[in-house]
């Protein structure tokens, strides 16, 4: 006996060690799969964060470039204004300069926050001084008495403001060089925004390049003409690039609308103004616009370029934000799933050792005990242990089969109506569950509703015992006229259902009619009164519906129509 217990202990320890080794392998496998996924998700999350940061920085720099470019319009308006307009235009320019300065300071803070300190430093140390110099030249020109001004002086002041924007464009190039966005899915957005920034500036320069001679009513020089034509061609070239660069999925209806506006208002309406002035200069004709009028009319035209640019900027930020959210969710999901798998593996190892394996060893001993076979009856033949174990399992299997038979009998009792022996509502619920799991079956399923006419009168006149005899008779008639495979249900006190699958309406109505006739021929003998009574039923038939409730409702409506026709009829 002692030897037997020792052998059992050693065997159990060996199996436990094997289980432990298997679980360690599983845990290591989970780690092998999970760690690369976590690293990849984390890298993707960091990458999308970087893209969002760079797009935010780009938007700030682009806004600064647009504000500087737009300040040129206010400067040109001041420098080309008449004496009576000078003071108002000066105040307008001063107010807009404050807007530009605020935008520059905001951009510096954004760049510093996003880690682009070198660009922020250049913005402060290089751009701001150049902007101050350009403004100084504009203000100096505005102070010159009108009769002492020359077109060369005005053109020089305008060119000085060009240099300020060029300095900002260099910072955009630096950002592009340092950016990792150009290597991501957002690269097209990045490039299209830069192209539109250039186009916005070129659009402004188209008029600025000829505003000086137009203001003074002088012939446009070859240099100014060449600069204006060059900027026109550049703007048109950049416009064709925008649509080619823009990703197809980003060409929304709003994008298409703004894109057409650039074509209609700037290219088709704005540039012809410049072309007409160039033709008038070439033909030595008087200009149809003054410098101030040219500024006012052309500004409204290239605002469409800014609208398109702002839309792409906002849309790209939305895309980058959405990508960042998805990457964060993916990282969290990967971490959660990996942690959950590890916890499940560890829990399974502990649970299997304590709650599964030990009870199985005890169960093994109990099974062997059921077979009355000693664990080591023949030490020289270890296979005898397995033979005894299988014999014991066979005994248990027989016991389980007996238990299943008892459960089946109990289930049949529970699903049967006590009075009639047909199925009850519980059995019907189980049948409905199976039926609705296969919706296509419902289209060919028939429900026959059988309702006893004037049953309340029978109960009141002859008592419930006679009423029960009537119900039993109805159930017997139903059993005689339908197949054993069809479902007969006592649905209510005086109502039965017959459910038949795969049947046509004419056949179903024939069955219902035979049921009705069979019942009408039956007589219930009342023993203590030497009297026999006869009952009738109203029957409703329905086939096919989208759901069980709909099918039952159709059958019930048919039964009610049978009642309305005078009872003792079949309606379908």
């Amino acid at each position: 006996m002692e030897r037997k217990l020792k052998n059992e202990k050693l065997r159990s320890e060996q199996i436990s060690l094997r289980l432990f080794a298997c679980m360690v392998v599983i845990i290591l496998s989970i780690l092998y799969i999970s760690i690369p996924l976590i690293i990849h998700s984390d890298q993707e999350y960091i990458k999308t964060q970087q893209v969002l940061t760079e797009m935010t920085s780009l938007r700030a720099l682009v806004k600064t470039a647009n504000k500087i470019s737009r300040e040129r319009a206010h400067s040109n308006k001041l420098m080309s204004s008449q004496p009576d307009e000078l003071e108002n235009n000066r105040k307008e320019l001063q107010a807009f300069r404050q807007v530009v300065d605020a935008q520059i300071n905001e951009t510096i803070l954004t760049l510093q926050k996003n880690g682009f300190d070198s660009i922020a430093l250049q913005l402060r140390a290089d751009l701001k001084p150049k902007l101050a110099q350009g403004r100084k030249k504009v203000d100096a020109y505005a102070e010159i008495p009108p009769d002492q001004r020359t077109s060369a002086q005005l053109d020089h002041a305008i060119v000085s403001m060009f240099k300020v924007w060029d300095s900002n464009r260099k910072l955009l190039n630096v950002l592009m060089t340092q950016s990792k966005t150009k290597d991501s899915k957002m690269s097209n957005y990045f490039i299209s925004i830069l192209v539109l920034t250039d186009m916005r500036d070129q659009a402004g320069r188209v008029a600025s390049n000829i505003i000086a001679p137009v203001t003074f009513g002088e012939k446009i020089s070859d240099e100014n003409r060449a600069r204006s034509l060059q900027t026109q061609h550049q703007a048109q070239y950049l416009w064709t690039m925008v649509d080619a660069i823009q990703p197809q999925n980003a060409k929304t209806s709003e994008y298409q609308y703004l894109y057409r506006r650039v074509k209609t208002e700037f290219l088709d309406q704005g540039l012809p103004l410049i072309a007409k002035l160039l033709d008038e200069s070439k033909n030595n004709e008087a200009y149809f616009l003054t410098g101030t009028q040219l500024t006012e009319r052309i500004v409204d035209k290239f605002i469409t370029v800014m609208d398109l640019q702002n839309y792409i900027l906002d849309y790209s930020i939305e895309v980058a934000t959405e990508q960042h959210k998805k990457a964060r969710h993916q990282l969290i999901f990967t971490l959660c799933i990996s942690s959950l798998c590890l916890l499940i593996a560890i829990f399974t190892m502990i649970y299997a050792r304590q709650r599964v394996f030990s009870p199985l060893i005890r169960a093994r001993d109990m099974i062997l005990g059921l077979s009355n076979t000693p664990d080591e009856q023949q030490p020289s033949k270890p296979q005898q242990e397995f033979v005894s174990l299988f014999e014991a399992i066979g005994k248990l299997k027989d016991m389980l089969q007996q238990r299943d038979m008892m459960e089946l009998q109990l289930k049949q009792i529970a699903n049967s109506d006590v009075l009639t022996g047909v199925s009850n509502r519980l059995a019907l619920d189980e049948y409905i569950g199976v039926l609705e799991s296969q919706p296509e079956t419902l289209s060919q399923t028939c429900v026959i509703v059988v309702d006893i006419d004037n049953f309340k009168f029978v109960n009141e006149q002859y008592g419930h015992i006679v009423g029960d005899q009537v119900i039993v008779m109805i159930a017997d008639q139903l059993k005689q006229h339908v197949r054993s495979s069809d479902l007969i249900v006592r649905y209510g006190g005086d109502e039965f259902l017959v459910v038949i699958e795969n049947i046509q309406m004419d056949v179903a109505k024939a069955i219902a009619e035979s049921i009705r006739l069979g019942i009408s021929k039956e007589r219930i003998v009342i023993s203590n009164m030497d009297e026999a009574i006869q009952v009738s039923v109203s029957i409703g038939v329905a086939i096919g519906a989208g759901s069980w409730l709909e099918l039952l409702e159709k059958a019930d409506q048919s039964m009610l129509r049978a009642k309305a026709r005078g009872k003792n009829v079949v309606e379908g």
Side-chain angles (χ1 to χ4, degrees):
M1 182 68 179
E2 182 179 356
R3 180 183 175 186
K4 176 182 177 181
L5 294 174
K6 184 176 181 181
N7 287 339
E8 288 296 325
K9 184 177 180 181
L10 288 173
R11 190 177 295 112
S12 300
E13 289 177 353
Q14 289 174 357
I15 296 174
S16 297
L17 286 173
R18 291 173 185 171
L19 175 66
F20 179 77
C22 289
M23 294 309 301
V24 168
V25 171
I26 292 173
I27 291 172
L28 291 176
S29 299
I30 293 173
L31 290 173
Y32 181 78
I33 296 172
S34 301
I35 290 176
L37 288 175
I38 294 172
I39 292 174
H40 175 75
S41 298
D42 183 60
Q43 289 175 343
E44 192 65 24
Y45 174 74
I46 294 172
K47 184 178 179 180
T48 56
Q49 176 65 52
Q50 181 67 25
V51 168
L52 182 58
T53 299
E54 291 172 358
M55 293 302 297
T56 305
S57 302
L58 174 66
R59 179 168 62 179
L61 263 180
V62 167
K63 283 186 176 181
T64 299
N66 288 341
K67 288 288 192 300
I68 292 172
S69 185
R70 194 166 183 180
E71 184 179 329
R72 290 204 309 263
H74 292 280
S75 299
N76 293 347
K77 189 176 179 181
L78 172 67
M79 292 187 293
S80 62
S81 58
Q82 299 300 318
D84 58 329
E85 305 170 328
L86 187 63
E87 192 58 33
N88 286 336
N89 291 341
R90 190 194 306 277
K91 291 179 180 179
E92 183 180 312
L93 175 60
Q94 292 298 329
F96 192 78
R97 283 176 176 177
Q98 293 178 4
V99 174
V100 174
D101 292 339
Q103 178 61 51
I104 292 173
N105 293 331
E106 181 181 341
T107 301
I108 291 173
L109 292 176
T110 300
L111 291 171
Q112 290 175 338
K113 178 183 176 182
N114 293 340
F116 294 101
D117 295 327
S118 61
I119 301 177
L121 180 62
Q122 292 180 59
L123 198 63
R124 183 186 293 108
D126 184 46
L127 181 70
K128 277 191 169 184
K130 287 184 178 179
L131 179 59
Q133 292 175 8
R135 287 173 174 176
K136 185 177 181 181
K137 291 179 180 179
V138 170
D139 293 339
Y141 177 84
E143 293 299 326
I144 299 174
D147 57 345
Q148 298 179 18
R149 297 176 181 176
T150 64
S151 62
Q153 292 171 331
L154 175 56
D155 192 58
H156 180 69
I158 291 172
V159 171
S160 68
M161 290 300 293
F162 286 165
K163 293 179 180 179
V164 180
W165 190 92
D166 292 338
S167 179
N168 191 88
R169 184 63 176 82
K170 290 178 181 178
L171 298 181
L172 284 170
N173 290 337
V174 173
L175 179 62
M176 183 68 177
T177 303
Q178 297 180 4
S179 171
K180 294 181 176 61
T181 302
K182 60 180 180 294
D183 301 323
S184 71
K185 297 177 182 178
M186 298 294 296
S187 59
N188 284 358
Y189 296 106
F190 204 101
I191 295 172
S192 63
I193 290 167
L194 291 178
V195 168
L196 278 168
T197 302
D198 287 345
M199 182 178 173
R200 161 67 182 84
D201 183 66
Q202 294 299 320
R205 295 192 188 202
V206 166
S208 297
N209 280 318
I210 64 169
I211 198 169
V214 169
T215 299
F216 284 87
E218 298 175 354
K219 185 179 180 65
I220 298 173
S221 66
D222 292 340
E223 180 184 355
N224 287 68
R225 178 183 294 273
R227 290 201 325 243
S228 180
L229 291 174
Q230 181 182 10
T231 52
Q232 287 187 52
H233 291 310
Q234 186 71 8
Q236 289 175 330
Y237 171 71
L238 292 172
W239 180 74
T240 58
M241 286 183 60
V242 171
D243 197 55
I245 295 171
Q246 186 74 356
Q248 193 64 35
N249 61 340
K251 293 181 180 180
T252 62
S253 57
E254 186 174 355
Y255 165 82
Q256 298 286 358
Y257 167 72
L258 294 172
Y259 184 78
R260 287 193 298 269
R261 278 191 61 202
V262 175
K263 172 70 168 60
T264 303
E265 297 183 27
F266 174 64
L267 297 177
D268 294 345
Q269 297 177 13
L271 292 184
L273 297 176
I274 307 301
K276 184 175 182 180
L277 292 170
L278 290 173
D279 288 341
E280 288 174 345
S281 173
K282 185 177 181 181
N283 297 328
N284 296 316
E285 298 175 359
Y287 296 120
F288 77 104
L289 294 174
T290 65
T292 304
Q293 290 171 339
L294 173 60
T295 300
E296 291 175 346
R297 291 185 62 175
I298 199 67
V299 164
D300 292 336
K301 305 302 180 185
F302 59 67
I303 281 178
T304 57
V305 181
M306 292 180 60
D307 291 341
L308 178 60
Q309 182 192 53
N310 288 333
Y311 170 76
I312 297 177
L313 266 173
D314 294 338
Y315 185 85
S316 62
I317 293 293
E318 289 178 8
V319 172
T321 302
E322 185 63 27
Q323 288 181 354
H324 184 56
K325 286 181 180 178
K326 287 182 179 179
R328 181 179 60 192
H329 292 161
Q330 183 63 39
L331 176 60
I332 294 173
F333 177 78
T334 304
L335 286 171
C336 290
I337 292 297
S338 300
S339 302
L340 182 62
C341 291
L342 282 173
L343 289 174
I344 290 174
I346 294 171
F347 174 78
T348 302
M349 182 175 65
I350 297 172
Y351 183 84
R353 191 167 185 174
Q354 296 181 355
R355 298 289 183 179
V356 177
F357 209 72
S358 295
L360 282 176
I361 293 173
R362 291 195 296 270
R364 171 182 170 275
D365 296 336
M366 292 175 63
I367 293 171
L368 289 172
L370 287 174
S371 68
N372 295 318
T373 303
D375 188 41
E376 293 187 281
Q377 187 176 5
Q378 296 179 353
S380 60
K381 296 181 179 180
Q383 67 272 16
Q384 182 66 34
E385 176 182 338
F386 296 99
V387 173
S388 300
L389 185 59
F390 287 135
E391 288 177 353
I393 290 173
K395 290 182 179 180
L396 289 179
K397 184 178 179 181
D398 292 338
M399 294 173 64
L400 290 172
Q401 288 177 346
Q402 293 176 8
R403 188 196 67 177
D404 290 342
M405 291 177 63
M406 292 179 64
E407 286 182 353
L408 181 59
Q409 293 173 357
L410 290 173
K411 185 175 181 181
Q412 289 176 345
I413 293 171
N415 288 351
S416 299
D417 179 58
V418 177
L419 179 62
T420 62
V422 300
S423 299
N424 58 15
R425 293 286 289 271
L426 182 60
L428 178 62
D429 290 341
E430 291 186 3
Y431 178 82
I432 292 171
V434 175
L435 194 63
E436 291 192 332
S437 66
Q438 301 173 340
E440 66 278 0
T441 308
L442 278 168
S443 63
Q444 295 180 330
T445 298
C446 171
V447 173
I448 300 175
V449 178
V450 181
D451 189 83
I452 305 172
D453 296 329
N454 305 315
F455 185 69
K456 183 178 180 182
F457 172 77
V458 173
N459 274 335
E460 292 175 350
Q461 185 72 20
Y462 302 104
H464 289 284
I465 293 176
V466 175
D468 288 348
Q469 290 177 340
V470 171
I471 291 172
V472 171
M473 181 271 290
I474 300 292
D476 291 341
Q477 286 294 317
L478 291 174
K479 293 174 186 176
Q480 291 177 25
H481 289 89
V482 301
R483 299 171 299 185
S484 59
S485 59
D486 299 328
L487 181 66
I488 304 173
V489 182
R490 186 181 177 190
Y491 195 69
D494 59 343
E495 189 175 49
F496 290 84
L497 299 182
V498 180
V499 184
I500 307 174
E501 295 184 18
N502 297 318
I503 190 171
Q504 301 298 321
M505 178 58 82
D506 55 347
V507 179
K509 291 178 73 173
I511 293 173
E513 184 63 26
S514 67
I515 293 171
R516 185 190 68 79
L517 289 173
I519 293 171
S520 66
K521 295 176 182 178
E522 289 292 322
R523 299 289 186 275
I524 304 295
V525 178
I526 304 174
S527 57
N528 58 349
M529 298 178 64
D530 292 329
E531 183 182 349
I533 64 171
Q534 182 182 8
V535 295
S536 64
V537 293
S538 297
I539 302 178
V541 183
I543 296 180
S547 68
W548 167 258
L549 289 178
E550 184 182 344
L551 180 58
L552 183 60
E553 178 67 20
K554 287 172 63 177
D556 197 51
Q557 290 298 321
S558 297
M559 185 272 293
L560 291 176
R561 289 196 299 272
K563 292 282 188 184
R565 285 177 56 191
K567 305 179 181 178
N568 194 25
V569 294
V570 174
E571 182 70 27

